[in-house]
Amino acid sequence: MDLELKGKRAVISGGSVGIGLAVAHALAAEGVDIAILARDKPRVEAQAAGIARAHGVRSFGLAADVSKKEDIDAAVVRIATIFDGVDILINNAGTGTSETIMDAPDEKWNHFWDLHVMAAVRLSRGMVPLMRKRGGGVILNTASICAKQPLGYEPIYNTTKAALVMFSKCLSNELIKDNIRVNAVNPGLILTPDWKKTAALLTQGSSTTVDQYLDKIAKDNAPIGRFATPEELAHFYVFLCSPRSSYCVGSSYYVDGGWLKTID
Ligand code: NDP
């Protein structure tokens, strides 16, 4: 199937590792030029160079903390200068939390509101004019299964990801007239380096290995009994970015090995 993505231009927040990096490689493999955003400058620049080398596309990395308005404003200016027009925006930067509602201070709520919701609002505001220049585009928001099925230890994560899904729906209604399709993706268990680091910390000094720990999490939760690789998830993003998914608008797609316990 020709995905008709060659020559498109994509901007991916949190594109230097994990899901975002896998999506960047998968799009670049289809001939898409790539801009990735993350805080760690050496890493984001090195990964962008690696994408260019591996796929022969234009690729650049921008150091930006997307929870900060001023960093997004600066990134939008750079992107507009380098790419005269953008086709794809993936709002993907984010991370889990751990707290109780009774104990978490306002500052923590505000930080994750900025990271998971306002970053998507601000990057969309910045990129949509560049998409209009190209006659349309695609915005994908990486939310989480936790937007619908909360995990007990991370109420701030659950709440802000649920807000991101609703933002996605509202934005899709507003932008479809511009030929811009907006959707959310709700992943389940995706085996990123972060999961491995957490597992290593939690199993330190015990007889359980990292693999055993992760295997138990997968078997206890996902009917498929395993984590997905970031690459498995990235294939789905590529399809949603392609004109081949032209009737996919304003939805949330679960990629979770069957973990969601309801029908949706
Ligand atoms: P990783 O921790 O592997 O990668 C996160 C990426 O986001 C990195 O590139 C990181 O780079 C960047 N990032 C983090 N904070 C910021 C910030 N403030 N500004 C700019 N960039 C930032 O995460 P995953 O790949 O696991 O997750 C990606 C998304 O998928 C997240 O939104 C997460 O909530 C969601 N998700 C993940 C699941 C999983 O099982 N892995 C399941 C469901 C959803 P740097 O540190 O340099 O800034």
Side-chain angles (χ1 to χ4, degrees):
M1 185 192 284
D2 177 7
L3 292 171
E4 298 173 34
L5 285 167
K6 199 169 169 41
K8 304 277 187 197
R9 298 159 196 165
V11 174
I12 304 166
S13 78
S16 63
V17 68
I19 294 169
L21 180 62
V23 172
H25 273 283
L27 286 171
E30 296 296 321
V32 177
D33 291 334
I34 303 288
I36 52 176
L37 275 58
R39 291 164 302 178
D40 181 334
K41 187 173 159 69
R43 182 166 69 174
V44 76
E45 289 180 347
Q47 292 298 344
I51 291 166
R53 262 196 317 276
H55 307 287
V57 296
R58 276 196 302 164
S59 173
F60 63 97
L62 284 180
D65 181 342
V66 297
S67 70
K68 297 190 171 136
K69 182 180 181 309
E70 58 277 18
D71 280 24
I72 291 186
D73 289 345
V76 167
V77 170
R78 283 282 313 280
I79 291 163
T81 311
I82 298 169
F83 285 164
D84 180 31
V86 162
D87 304 285
I88 295 163
L89 168 64
I90 315 279
N91 289 308
N92 169 77
T95 192
T97 65
S98 178
E99 64 278 321
T100 63
I101 295 169
M102 287 303 113
D103 290 336
D106 285 6
E107 291 71 26
K108 188 168 186 183
W109 283 94
N110 289 336
H111 171 71
F112 282 96
W113 177 255
D114 279 336
L115 178 59
H116 291 153
V117 185
M118 290 313 296
V121 173
R122 290 169 178 147
L123 275 168
S124 300
R125 268 195 319 235
M127 291 302 115
V128 164
L130 301 179
M131 289 182 178
R132 288 187 178 129
K133 277 178 115 172
R134 303 273 286 173
V138 170
I139 299 176
L140 298 181
N141 296 308
T142 306
S144 166
I145 189 173
C146 296
K148 178 91 174 184
Q149 182 170 279
L151 281 171
Y153 58 85
E154 51 183 359
I156 295 182
Y157 184 79
N158 303 329
T159 304
T160 50
K161 290 292 189 175
L164 178 61
V165 170
M166 180 53 86
F167 162 71
S168 206
K169 182 70 183 166
C170 297
L171 188 66
S172 83
N173 289 336
E174 192 169 316
L175 293 183
I176 193 61
K177 67 175 182 338
D178 296 305
N179 191 31
I180 297 172
R181 296 185 296 110
V182 184
N183 288 289
V185 179
N186 291 340
L189 295 169
I190 315 299
L191 195 48
T192 55
D194 205 42
W195 264 109
K196 288 187 186 159
K197 201 169 72 192
T198 307
L201 278 175
L202 295 176
T203 53
Q204 224 168 29
S206 82
S207 59
T208 309
T209 66
V210 165
D211 285 345
Q212 283 167 340
Y213 177 85
L214 292 170
D215 194 50
K216 180 164 166 38
I217 289 186
K219 293 219 159 47
D220 285 351
N221 291 293
I224 199 170
R226 64 172 179 85
F227 277 73
T229 64
E231 290 72 26
E232 274 181 289
L233 177 61
H235 296 149
F236 188 64
Y237 278 70
V238 171
F239 173 69
L240 286 179
C241 290
S242 158
R244 298 291 179 168
S245 65
S246 49
Y247 209 62
C248 296
V249 175
S251 285
S252 316
Y253 297 98
Y254 291 84
V255 185
D256 65 359
W259 187 11
L260 186 70
K261 291 188 172 62
T262 62
I263 52 169
D264 198 16

